[in-house]
Amino acid sequence: MPSRRTVLAATAGLTTTLASSGTAHAHADDHRLRALISRMSLEEKVGQVFVSRVYGHSATAPDQADIDANLKELGVRTAAELIARYRVGGIIYFTWAHNTRDPRQIAELSNGIQRASLQQPRGLPVLISTDQEHGIVARVGKPVTLFPGAMAIGAGGSGTDARALGRIAGSELRAMGIRQDYSPVADVNVNPANPVIGVRSFGADPKAVAALVAEEIRGYRSAGVAATAKHFPGHGDTAVDSHYGFPVITHTREVWEELDAVPFRAAIAAGADSIMTAHILVPALDVPPSRLRSSGGTPIGDPATLSHPVLTGLLRQHLGYDGVVVTDALDMAGVRTKYGDDRVPVLALKAGVDQLLNPPKLDVAWNAVRKAVQDGELTERRLDESILRILRLKAGLGLFTDPYADPDAVGRTVGTRAHLATADRIAERTTTLLVNEGPLLPLSPRTHARILVVGADPVSPSGTTGPPTTVLATALTELGFTATALSTGTAPSAATIARAVAAAGEADAVVVGTYNITATSPQRTLVEHLLATGRPVVAVAIRNPYDVAHLPTVKAYVATYSWTDVELRAAARVIAGTVGPRGTLPVPVQRPDDPTQVLYPIGHGLTY
């Protein structure tokens, strides 16, 4: 990697003016940023508002399979060529795009991207981003420090822990050259059937969610990373996944103010650097009351990502937000159901968006925005407004003066012993004991030496060890038990259930991991057959805590809110009694057949 002196020399005309003025924060020296914008071509301006994926572990020498994927989807071979052709202002990292092999490689990829951009005429630094929510959504895995997810943090209820998560996670991202994180989730999850948010939310109490959102944002900002509150105006009450469909949320304006808006107000007050839009329709926010009706079964109105009343009227004017607004990924079905891929980016900009994230066809989207400006549908002044916000953010993050990571220093920050220990301690404060009749827990190696661990083994979240049964069995063995793992899956067959029952006969106790149980789930049959053996059965809800409502005869139930290693290891320590359960439910658990009856309220949690 070239020295910082060499690097900064390559951007002399650009960085010198900013550095000499001492610019370090948004709005500090807008006239210099406006001068930069005035020298940009239309093509350069269009590029700045796009955040694109790109395949490969290297900016200039990716593997052949990644070159082929880039050619097929983007029409270029490498990240460097992508930047040269489209002058994109941002790049998003994905595991599946092979961007995130290991921390040093990520730092070198980030440097290659910055170098490729800064070497262009009037080159600007790139804002590199990723989805590192922790819990079930993490694009960068081990050896980085992976924390409990949002609902687990909600169960812990500690603002100090939320801020520590942001500070440590942010410092590790920044060390790898990632300066924008699409986290935290500010949605209030009030629908147990929500298939897309769920445990990614801090909980169902808007004030509690707001407090944790604000603290996590403060943590990220203290580490020099832009935090992103998502998904505006609130994605917590839907039974449709916007990746695959078009959710419609029927909250009134009054309900929105009291529920969904609360965490976003807190995020803005905490200095949220960016806010991500939701591909959802909220008719009460998007459509005048006189038009609130359906036509031919199709709701009238636009997804929030494309809604001027929502983004400009509510977010900009009503809530007073003047930071960067970024779309959720534009390849998701929720934003593509009504308009073509050429219209979506134009309409998003007209609605008030600044950054267009991951369009399915970059060439189509890029050319559509350029044409809209050339034809007068979008003014260049409107484009300049978004670019100014983006450049303010880049300046505030230090990208003009210090755009590069130090690959040699990554190991001193990423996945350190101290960071990993902090994640373990935080996880212990989130594990929630929902049921403990007898009491059955804690188990002791003296009385229950042989433990069978069975249950669902969903694909492990990015970069964790997995599968969950193996992680739990290993952790219990390290605590003095003799534990064996038997994966039974999310839909165990009769033969699988019979095998688990036979294995239970050789054990002193059974630990069964449950995953999103429904009324007809074969997982219920598995647990009922295990209970019939007479062996003590401890159930662990490894995702949704709502599972406990479907298994009322289980005598001990623990909730972890995710099946990442850090949370499963903490659950093992709680089962063994080396630590006590301290988490409390951040959502209510209702009767599946009668949601008006609450079985376990917010705040429920047993201790030893």
Side-chain angles (χ1 to χ4, degrees):
M1 187 188 81
S3 68
R4 280 183 167 75
R5 181 174 298 177
T6 304
V7 165
L8 295 178
T11 61
L14 214 149
T15 58
T16 301
T17 54
L18 289 168
S20 64
S21 68
T23 300
H25 300 287
H27 302 264
D29 218 350
D30 274 5
H31 70 280
R32 296 184 184 273
L33 296 176
R34 293 181 195 276
L36 291 178
I37 296 170
S38 70
R39 296 197 291 272
M40 295 167 64
S41 68
L42 174 58
E43 289 72 20
E44 290 164 359
K45 290 181 178 181
V46 171
Q48 273 301 296
V49 300
F50 281 97
V51 181
S52 179
R53 68 192 179 282
V54 67
Y55 291 86
H57 71 287
S58 164
T60 56
D63 294 340
Q64 186 60 48
D66 293 322
I67 291 174
D68 294 342
N70 284 328
L71 285 170
K72 179 180 179 181
E73 297 184 20
L74 301 166
V76 297
R77 293 167 52 84
T78 67
E81 290 182 12
L82 177 78
I83 290 165
R85 178 173 299 185
Y86 293 107
R87 303 300 293 271
V88 293
I91 295 284
I92 179 172
Y93 287 169
F94 290 107
T95 310
W96 51 259
H98 308 139
N99 304 137
T100 58
R101 288 182 178 176
D102 63 74
R104 183 182 181 93
Q105 166 269 317
I106 296 169
E108 290 172 343
L109 171 61
S110 299
N111 287 346
I113 288 170
Q114 299 295 2
R115 191 178 304 113
S117 186
L118 293 169
Q119 287 174 350
Q120 297 295 318
R122 296 173 300 281
L124 293 168
V126 176
L127 187 54
I128 297 171
S129 60
T130 198
D131 288 288
Q132 192 79 349
E133 296 175 13
H134 296 269
I136 69 172
V137 177
R139 308 302 186 198
V140 189
K142 293 174 64 175
V144 306
T145 304
L146 295 171
F147 285 88
M151 192 171 285
I153 298 297
S158 168
T160 300
D161 285 349
R163 187 183 290 207
L165 185 159
R167 175 179 53 79
I168 292 172
S171 69
E172 295 195 3
L173 290 175
R174 187 178 174 103
M176 295 179 285
I178 300 169
R179 302 289 185 97
Q180 184 179 26
D181 190 12
Y182 298 133
S183 188
V185 171
D187 304 315
V188 183
N189 198 79
V190 293
N191 188 341
N194 194 325
V196 63
I197 304 302
V199 295
R200 297 167 60 197
S201 162
F202 287 108
D205 179 341
K207 291 183 179 178
V209 171
L212 295 172
V213 164
E215 290 301 329
E216 192 168 307
I217 286 172
R218 293 184 181 107
Y220 276 110
R221 297 193 81 218
S222 71
V225 167
T228 307
K230 61 186 187 184
H231 307 78
F232 189 84
H235 209 320
D237 188 11
T238 175
V240 176
D241 186 339
S242 53
H243 290 85
Y244 310 108
F246 184 25
V248 178
I249 293 179
T250 57
H251 289 182
T252 64
R253 173 65 181 262
E254 291 72 28
V255 168
W256 178 80
E257 290 279 6
E258 296 175 2
L259 183 76
D260 305 286
V262 177
F264 288 100
R265 289 183 185 276
I268 293 168
D273 300 287
S274 48
I275 290 178
M276 180 179 285
T277 68
H279 303 327
I280 59 172
L281 170 61
V282 188
L285 306 182
D286 179 66
V287 184
S290 61
R291 295 180 61 230
L292 278 179
R293 65 186 185 279
S294 293
S295 176
T298 302
I300 293 175
D302 287 324
T305 298
L306 310 181
S307 171
H308 190 274
V310 170
L311 298 187
T312 297
L314 282 184
L315 183 55
R316 296 285 191 210
Q317 297 170 358
H318 180 62
L319 297 185
Y321 182 66
D322 193 37
V324 170
V325 174
V326 56
T327 70
D328 206 343
L330 296 182
D331 62 345
M332 294 166 59
V335 78
R336 302 173 74 190
T337 55
K338 191 172 179 180
Y339 303 100
D341 291 335
D342 59 334
R343 294 300 299 156
V344 166
V346 175
L347 295 174
L349 289 168
K350 292 175 72 172
V353 157
D354 302 308
Q355 287 185 307
L356 301 165
L357 177 62
N358 199 33
K361 298 176 181 177
L362 180 59
D363 60 336
V364 170
W366 190 93
N367 282 304
V369 172
R370 181 177 64 172
K371 185 176 187 298
V373 176
Q374 292 171 335
D375 292 349
E377 182 182 6
L378 270 176
T379 66
E380 199 161 344
R381 180 177 178 181
R382 168 66 192 89
L383 210 56
D384 291 351
E385 291 174 1
S386 286
I387 296 168
L388 178 60
R389 292 190 188 101
I390 293 166
L391 295 187
R392 282 175 184 161
L393 180 53
K394 291 182 179 182
L397 295 170
L399 280 167
F400 285 104
T401 53
D402 190 15
Y404 287 87
D406 183 352
D408 293 329
V410 167
R412 295 196 291 272
T413 301
V414 176
T416 65
R417 184 175 299 178
H419 288 178
L420 294 171
T422 299
D424 280 335
R425 299 293 84 76
I426 288 175
E428 289 174 355
R429 293 189 280 271
T430 69
T431 307
T432 308
L433 181 58
L434 301 175
V435 178
N436 192 22
E437 295 180 15
L440 175 55
L441 293 178
L443 299 180
S444 167
R446 293 189 300 275
T447 56
H448 299 87
R450 298 169 300 172
I451 294 182
L452 173 67
V453 180
V454 301
D457 269 336
V459 175
S460 190
S462 297
T464 61
T465 304
T469 53
T470 300
V471 174
L472 275 170
T474 301
L476 289 167
T477 297
E478 291 171 353
L479 292 166
F481 298 90
T482 300
T484 56
L486 174 61
S487 176
T488 50
T490 55
S493 65
T496 298
I497 292 172
R499 191 162 59 250
V501 168
E506 304 298 320
D508 299 313
V510 180
V511 173
V512 55
T514 66
Y515 180 89
N516 294 4
I517 289 183
T518 63
T520 60
S521 173
Q523 293 180 62
R524 293 183 66 191
T525 306
L526 168 69
V527 176
E528 288 164 359
H529 280 66
L530 291 171
L531 288 168
T533 66
R535 295 293 191 271
V537 175
V538 178
V540 181
I542 63 173
R543 184 166 179 166
N544 288 333
Y546 313 113
D547 287 1
V548 67
H550 293 281
L551 293 167
T553 58
V554 170
K555 290 182 168 51
Y557 223 126
V558 174
T560 66
Y561 310 97
S562 180
W563 61 105
T564 53
D565 297 358
V566 68
E567 288 159 298
L568 294 175
R569 289 196 307 264
R573 292 193 291 275
V574 167
I575 290 169
T578 58
V579 298
R582 296 172 59 182
T584 60
L585 279 174
V587 294
V589 175
Q590 300 137 322
R591 276 189 55 158
D593 58 344
D594 184 4
T596 63
Q597 291 193 36
V598 175
L599 300 175
Y600 303 98
I602 290 176
H604 172 80
L606 307 176
T607 59
Y608 296 152

